[in-house]
């Protein structure tokens, strides 16, 4: 019974923690700003923000002091494009809220409304140094006799892993390429045809169309029009270089702010992406062709894009919540294949914050910014390193999760010789 109560108490810690005045001393601070990396530096946290960064800072009388002993301190990490808080167990459909299967185009579909800030997987990810992520819908074909989704998967949002609601910047997700053929009549050419009609309906709601020819509801027209007007970024999930060129041309004509997700062949059009200032959110472990759209997949994708001047952020190919904590390892793999270490760290911090319009809160360590940062035991891109302290809005987060409680419970039995 005591163990059950201890586990319940640990899970209750998933709620928002309280900010206090803290001074982190003697740290290697990766600011991710023009200030670069500061050796033997201090960080003062007050009222949820970074009050000062520098050497030999004076500790206020009310401050609690944490000696980092030279360990790295980074901005809190990005968890990628994920179903965190939308999915609990992949084999249980009643606990999956990331995909719409109505068979009609509904850009007003917003997964943030289904986000569960009390999901156990959020605590597990936060313990690993993840402080923000983007919850994203999936465009899926139908299951059994159920209708599928459409090429416009719906809206997602930035979340902070602090136990609060999804209230941050918006994004509209679109699925293009071979994987979306079942959602567009069997041809990727139809994907652009359908998208053009959707834009026409959004911009000219009085266009003469029969009801069975319309793609959008009135709410859908308004939602799409809001994004066309700049309410958020359009994220195109697409891999083939030829398709990326089509998306770049469409975005230029429509004057859209876009990002590429996936981008297995993005390196082949790196110059065009750089010229258009379009970032790529990629899986750095994508190195084998999963189909004809990714024949050019390579572990050097991130490095080649970065050398061409493209901003690179990281995600996992799977949106399953349990993969979020592994994302920093994929960034480390990109470093092993030519990406500069600082660029990999930026792909987990500053770059995704810039892409999704939350760089005023996440991604950097500087005076006046919200205090979302992590103290690490060693190189954060090494698999053997771990987060020793995680701060969200200046509040030190609990270092316990359901997994750590279960680990300790069964280790105790092993040591006592009672494990079965």
């Amino acid at each position: 019974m005591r163990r059950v109560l201890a586990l319940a108490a640990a899970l209750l810690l998933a709620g928002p923690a309280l900010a206090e005045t803290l001074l982190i001393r003697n740290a290697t601070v990766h600011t991710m700003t023009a200030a670069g990396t500061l050796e033997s530096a201090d960080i003062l946290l007050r009222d949820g923000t970074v009050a000062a960064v520098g050497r030999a800072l004076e500790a206020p009388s009310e401050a609690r002091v944490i000696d980092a002993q030279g360990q790295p301190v980074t901005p809190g990490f990005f968890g990628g494009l994920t179903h965190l808080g939308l999915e609990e167990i992949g084999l249980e459909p009643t606990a999956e809220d990331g995909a719409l299967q109505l068979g009609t185009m509904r850009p007003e579909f917003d997964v943030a409304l289904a986000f569960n800030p009390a999901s156990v997987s959020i605590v597990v990810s936060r313990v690993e140094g993840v402080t923000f992520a983007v919850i994203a819908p999936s465009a899926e074909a139908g299951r059994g006799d159920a209708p599928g989704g459409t090429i416009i998967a719906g809206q997602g949002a930035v979340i902070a892993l602090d136990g609060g609601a999804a209230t941050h910047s918006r994004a509209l997700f679109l699925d293009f390429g071979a994987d979306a053929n079942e959602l567009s009549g069997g041809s990727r050419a139809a994907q652009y045809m359908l998208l053009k009609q959707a834009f026409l309906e959004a911009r000219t709601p009085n266009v003469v169309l029969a009801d069975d020819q319309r793609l959008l509801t009135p709410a859908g027209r308004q939602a799409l029009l809001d994004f066309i007007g700049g309410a958020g970024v359009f994220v195109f999930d697409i891999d083939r270089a030829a398709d990326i060129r089509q998306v770049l041309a469409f975005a230029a004509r429509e004057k859209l702010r876009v990002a590429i997700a996936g981008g297995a062949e993005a390196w082949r059009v790196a110059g065009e992406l750089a010229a258009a200032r379009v970032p790529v959110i990629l899986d750095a472990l994508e190195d084998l062709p999963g189909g004809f759209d990714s024949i050019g997949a390579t572990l050097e994708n991130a490095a080649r894009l970065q050398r061409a001047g493209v901003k690179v952020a990281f995600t996992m190919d799977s949106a399953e919540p349990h993969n979020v904590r592994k994302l920093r390892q994929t960034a480390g793999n990109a470093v092993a294949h030519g990406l500069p270490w600082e660029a990999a760290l930026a792909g987990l911090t500053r770059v995704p914050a810039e892409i999704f319009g939350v760089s005023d809160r996440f991604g950097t360590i500087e005076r006046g910014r919200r205090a979302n940062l992590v103290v690490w035991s060693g190189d954060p891109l090494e698999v053997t390193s771990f987060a020793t302290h995680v701060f969200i809005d200046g509040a030190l987060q609990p270092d316990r999760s359901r997994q750590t409680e279960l680990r300790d419970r069964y280790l105790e039995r092993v040591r006592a010789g009672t494990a079965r």
Side-chain angles (χ1 to χ4, degrees):
M1 184 64 180
R2 269 192 324 224
R3 293 192 183 99
V4 174
L5 291 174
L7 179 56
L11 293 177
L12 286 174
L13 292 176
L18 299 176
E20 57 181 316
T21 301
L22 289 143
L23 183 65
I24 303 172
R25 280 211 182 282
N26 187 28
T28 301
V29 183
H30 299 277
T31 67
M32 304 315 298
T33 70
T37 300
L38 307 177
E39 304 284 347
S40 302
D42 306 334
I43 310 171
L44 178 63
L45 311 183
R46 177 183 280 147
D47 298 328
T49 64
V50 177
V53 183
R55 294 183 176 86
L57 297 180
E58 183 176 348
S61 58
E62 75 277 14
R64 181 156 67 96
V65 177
I66 296 174
D67 185 359
Q69 299 180 337
Q71 294 173 333
V73 177
T74 70
F77 276 8
F78 177 58
L81 310 178
T82 176
H83 286 172
L84 196 64
L86 301 176
E87 176 183 324
E88 294 294 344
I89 300 173
L91 295 177
E92 176 48 59
T94 62
E96 294 181 22
D97 295 309
L100 181 69
Q101 296 193 357
L102 292 180
T104 57
M105 189 175 286
R106 302 298 291 268
E108 67 269 38
F109 174 59
D110 183 358
V111 295
L113 298 174
F115 174 66
N116 177 20
S119 172
V120 171
S121 58
I122 289 177
V123 184
V124 175
S125 302
R126 189 175 64 207
V127 167
E128 299 285 347
V130 178
T131 63
F132 75 112
V134 170
I135 50 172
S138 296
E140 295 183 356
R143 298 174 183 167
D145 294 331
T150 69
I151 57 171
I152 297 183
Q155 300 179 38
V158 177
I159 59 168
L161 274 66
D162 59 357
T167 58
H168 302 290
S169 179
R170 322 298 296 172
L172 187 65
F173 290 83
L174 302 94
D175 198 20
F176 272 51
D179 289 345
N181 276 354
E182 291 184 40
L183 308 175
S184 58
S187 170
R188 77 187 70 215
Q191 294 162 16
Y192 300 96
M193 175 189 76
L194 294 170
L195 189 60
K196 288 176 182 177
Q197 180 179 334
F199 271 56
L200 174 65
E201 290 185 31
R203 285 189 163 132
T204 55
N206 295 323
V207 63
V208 178
L209 289 171
D211 288 342
D212 61 353
Q213 292 177 329
R214 289 189 179 274
L215 298 176
L216 304 177
T217 66
R221 288 198 298 270
Q222 186 58 56
L224 183 55
L225 192 60
D226 289 344
F227 276 92
I228 293 172
V233 61
F234 287 80
V235 181
F236 285 82
D237 190 338
I238 198 163
D239 284 315
R240 197 173 71 169
D243 296 330
I244 294 174
R245 285 195 180 98
Q246 290 291 344
V247 168
L248 292 178
F250 182 84
R253 287 194 302 271
E254 300 291 341
K255 298 180 172 56
L256 306 178
R257 183 162 65 94
V258 304
I260 301 298
E265 292 192 344
W267 64 271
R268 286 182 163 170
V269 288
E272 295 159 72
L273 286 162
R277 297 184 179 180
V278 170
V280 177
I281 310 164
L282 56 80
D283 183 346
L285 298 181
E286 189 77 23
D287 68 330
L288 295 173
F292 287 101
D293 280 17
S294 54
I295 292 293
T298 171
L299 292 173
E300 295 182 0
N301 194 7
R304 295 178 186 180
L305 287 167
Q306 189 269 341
R307 284 197 295 270
V310 179
K311 288 185 177 181
V312 174
F314 296 100
T315 190
M316 299 287 286
D317 181 56
S318 169
E320 294 176 353
H322 66 266
N323 284 322
V324 169
R325 59 192 175 86
K326 303 176 184 177
L327 188 56
R328 64 188 179 94
Q329 299 173 22
T330 73
N333 194 73
V335 173
H337 290 86
L339 183 68
W341 190 91
E342 286 288 336
L345 187 59
L348 290 171
T349 55
R350 186 187 68 243
V351 172
E354 291 173 346
I355 291 173
F356 292 101
V358 290
S359 58
D360 60 335
R361 181 172 182 186
F362 301 101
T364 60
I365 301 175
E366 54 186 311
R367 183 177 179 180
R369 292 293 172 87
R370 302 302 297 175
N372 294 297
L373 51 91
V374 183
V375 183
W376 299 92
S377 66
D379 184 340
L381 303 188
E382 291 285 349
V383 297
T384 55
S385 299
F386 57 90
T388 63
H389 301 79
V390 179
F391 300 89
I392 299 182
D393 284 348
L396 180 61
Q397 303 299 308
D399 62 356
R400 309 294 291 174
S401 71
R402 181 174 185 273
Q403 273 75 351
T404 62
E405 292 293 332
L406 290 171
R407 175 200 66 194
D408 294 346
R409 173 182 176 180
Y410 287 102
L411 277 176
E412 180 183 337
R413 289 188 177 186
V414 169
R415 289 166 182 155
T418 60
R420 293 182 181 179

